Amino acid sequence: MRLPATTIARLSKYRRMLGSFNYESTHIFSHNLAKLLNLTPEQVRRDLMLIGLTGNHRKGYNIKELIDLVSKTIDSEKGHNVAIVGMGNLGMAVTAFIRRAKTRLNIVAAFDIDSGKIGKKVADVTCYHVDDISDIVRDLSISIAVLTVPPGEAIDVATLLIKSGIKGILNFTSVHIDVPPHVYLKETNIITSLEEIGFFIKEGSSK
Amino acid sequence: MRLPATTIARLSKYRRMLGSFNYESTHIFSHNLAKLLNLTPEQVRRDLMLIGLTGNHRKGYNIKELIDLVSKTIDSEKGHNVAIVGMGNLGMAVTAFIRRAKTRLNIVAAFDIDSGKIGKKVADVTCYHVDDISDIVRDLSISIAVLTVPPGEAIDVATLLIKSGIKGILNFTSVHIDVPPHVYLKETNIITSLEEIGFFIKEGSSK
DNA sequence: ATAAAGTTGTGAATAAATTAACAAATGATA
DNA sequence: TATCATTTGTTAATTTATTCACAACTTTAT
């Protein structure tokens, strides 16, 4: 199914929102869900239409059906094995995030270069040396890497990950990394985000 | 000046890329800069056009001029005072990020509820109790808050920040927060990002 | 039954962002 | 000096995403 990234991101949020909140009803209207996430009802309806969910004209969308269909649409059958690359503060924070949210993402390994961490469990994840990325990625069928290393190592580590056959990278470093077309890259640029905020609050303007 | 958020984000990246890298030349072509950041030359030229930077038809854009004009465009005169709200792993990681990047963002306070941290310097930032947000935000003229608290506290803390007159929030929590129109909100949703990656690598498809 | 109220589902319109296309400019070269 | 190769600056075209608008439907109330 061919879906825009914007829709996928929203579907993920619909599911999480409805999964966490305890609804009094079995159904929800598009405008209620929209309000919860600062979206428009049309956006919600269109997204749900795209995945083929059909609501009831008087009751709205069945929440269980919605969650199940979103899961069927965006999750992979067997989940994804994820590695945290760079087990510093940020790596540990991301680990906690993924743990807390019950997703189909399994953290199966961490990588670092600190000998104090290697071979041990850090934040409950076995930590390997970055030099062993290739072997471990293959052996543990890791498809997604979260890149949380210091800027100086970002490029080399990313290159190594790509060579090892990783399929997706979530890049938290401030360094831009280049990936071949078969690797899906998502950047989270903290400084850029803050500078964007800075610009838009400069003269009282909002989004 | 009215500029789209997409352009602001790219301008921030142009500046950082050119500021960090050591160029042999004083000038750079749009296609070179584009290549460094996986963009198209047209995007680069358009962004620079929007801020009124004019290049040389044979040498490209003067790097110093570019950096200066981007700074003049996106930075505020006196910089922004930033608070880290929630000084756990993520808060400390963000602090390190902002420190490393030389920006006009000054981290002037951290907030937490852990009595072991309050009144002390954590990661070199004075840590106050969350209950004191109102006073400190006012007294230290804090305009941007980075929200790195656990999910359960996100809404309450955000409400408090908004009441205290904060102008921008970078929300790292998985909880959706609602802000009035005069507050600029930027969300960094780790789980959603990972689920988006998961979807697009499912069947070999790329962006 | 029938009407009333309110929602979905979706083409059509609009807005936003990107890409194409190319004239004008500039410096290098012959 | 004239030509050439190349890049900028920008208008127009295209693509992508959002919003509008409304017919069709579903339940409740009369």
Side-chain angles (χ1 to χ4, degrees):
Chain A
M1 201 185 281
R2 195 100 220 96
L3 295 169
T6 48
T7 290
I8 298 299
R10 284 192 299 259
L11 290 174
S12 161
K13 288 174 188 170
Y14 301 156
R15 173 170 62 174
R16 196 128 31 85
M17 175 60 79
L18 294 173
S20 69
F21 209 81
N22 234 356
Y23 267 71
E24 63 287 349
S25 162
T26 54
H27 289 68
I28 190 168
F29 295 125
S30 59
H31 64 265
N32 292 138
L33 184 48
K35 186 139 207 201
L36 288 171
L37 291 163
N38 271 104
L39 302 168
T40 67
E42 295 81 9
Q43 264 174 329
V44 171
R45 293 208 299 276
R46 191 165 290 282
D47 289 337
L48 298 180
M49 187 191 91
L50 287 175
I51 62 171
L53 181 67
T54 148
N56 178 298
H57 283 221
R58 258 319 257 198
K59 297 193 216 150
Y61 298 91
N62 180 292
I63 292 173
K64 186 173 171 347
E65 273 180 25
L66 194 163
I67 292 175
D68 288 349
L69 189 51
V70 168
S71 299
K72 194 155 163 287
T73 306
I74 73 179
D75 289 343
S76 103
E77 198 66 36
K78 337 180 319 183
H80 287 288
N81 289 342
V82 177
I84 311 294
V85 187
M87 208 48 167
N89 281 324
L90 188 52
M92 290 195 277
V94 173
T95 302
F97 258 93
I98 299 177
R99 286 275 172 58
R100 233 183 339 241
K102 292 219 203 84
T103 65
R104 311 240 24 206
L105 306 161
N106 321 304
I107 307 183
V108 297
F111 295 98
D112 209 298
I113 49 167
D114 176 355
S115 56
K117 292 175 182 164
I118 290 153
K120 294 178 187 152
K121 287 216 167 192
V122 182
D124 213 32
V125 187
T126 306
C127 192
Y128 302 93
H129 195 282
V130 164
D131 290 346
D132 296 328
I133 283 179
S134 272
D135 291 341
I136 307 287
V137 165
R138 187 185 355 96
D139 294 352
L140 301 184
S141 304
I142 294 168
S143 53
I144 300 177
V146 180
L147 198 61
T148 47
V149 299
E153 299 170 49
I155 306 276
D156 286 350
V157 171
T159 306
L160 195 49
L161 285 165
I162 292 163
K163 265 196 204 133
S164 311
I166 205 86
K167 290 193 191 156
I169 298 178
L170 177 55
N171 178 25
F172 271 99
T173 77
S174 56
V175 178
H176 180 83
I177 67 171
D178 197 23
V179 299
H182 62 275
V183 174
Y184 191 88
L185 172 71
K186 181 97 188 161
E187 308 245 10
T188 289
N189 200 315
I190 295 173
I191 301 300
T192 290
S193 295
L194 285 167
E195 289 187 334
E196 181 188 321
I197 295 173
F199 174 80
F200 284 107
I201 67 175
K202 229 188 346 174
E203 20 221 322
S205 62
S206 97
K207 205 175 221 165
Chain B
M1 200 186 281
R2 196 97 219 100
L3 295 169
T6 48
T7 289
I8 299 299
R10 284 191 299 259
L11 290 173
S12 160
K13 288 174 187 170
Y14 301 156
R15 172 169 66 174
R16 195 128 32 82
M17 175 60 79
L18 293 173
S20 69
F21 208 81
N22 235 356
Y23 267 72
E24 63 287 351
S25 162
T26 54
H27 289 68
I28 189 167
F29 295 126
S30 59
H31 63 265
N32 292 138
L33 185 48
K35 187 140 206 199
L36 287 171
L37 291 163
N38 272 103
L39 302 168
T40 66
E42 294 82 9
Q43 264 176 328
V44 172
R45 293 209 299 278
R46 186 167 294 282
D47 289 337
L48 298 180
M49 188 191 90
L50 286 175
I51 62 171
L53 182 66
T54 147
N56 178 297
H57 284 219
R58 261 315 259 196
K59 297 193 220 152
Y61 298 91
N62 181 292
I63 292 173
K64 188 177 170 342
E65 273 180 24
L66 193 164
I67 291 175
D68 288 350
L69 189 51
V70 168
S71 299
K72 194 154 162 288
T73 306
I74 74 178
D75 289 343
S76 103
E77 198 67 36
K78 338 180 320 186
H80 286 288
N81 289 342
V82 177
I84 311 294
V85 187
M87 208 49 166
N89 281 324
L90 188 53
M92 291 196 276
V94 173
T95 301
F97 257 93
I98 299 178
R99 286 274 171 58
R100 235 185 338 243
K102 293 220 202 82
T103 65
R104 311 240 24 209
L105 306 162
N106 321 304
I107 307 183
V108 296
F111 295 98
D112 209 298
I113 49 166
D114 176 355
S115 57
K117 291 175 183 166
I118 290 153
K120 294 179 188 151
K121 288 216 165 191
V122 182
D124 213 33
V125 187
T126 306
C127 194
Y128 303 92
H129 195 283
V130 164
D131 289 346
D132 296 328
I133 282 180
S134 272
D135 292 341
I136 307 286
V137 165
R138 187 186 354 96
D139 294 352
L140 301 184
S141 304
I142 295 168
S143 53
I144 300 177
V146 180
L147 198 60
T148 46
V149 299
E153 299 170 49
I155 305 276
D156 287 350
V157 171
T159 306
L160 196 48
L161 286 165
I162 293 163
K163 263 195 206 135
S164 312
I166 206 85
K167 290 191 188 158
I169 298 177
L170 177 55
N171 178 25
F172 270 99
T173 76
S174 56
V175 177
H176 179 83
I177 66 171
D178 197 25
V179 300
H182 62 276
V183 174
Y184 190 89
L185 172 70
K186 182 98 187 158
E187 308 246 10
T188 290
N189 200 315
I190 295 173
I191 301 301
T192 289
S193 295
L194 284 167
E195 290 187 334
E196 181 188 320
I197 295 173
F199 174 79
F200 283 107
I201 67 175
K202 234 195 327 181
E203 21 222 321
S205 64
S206 95
K207 207 175 218 164

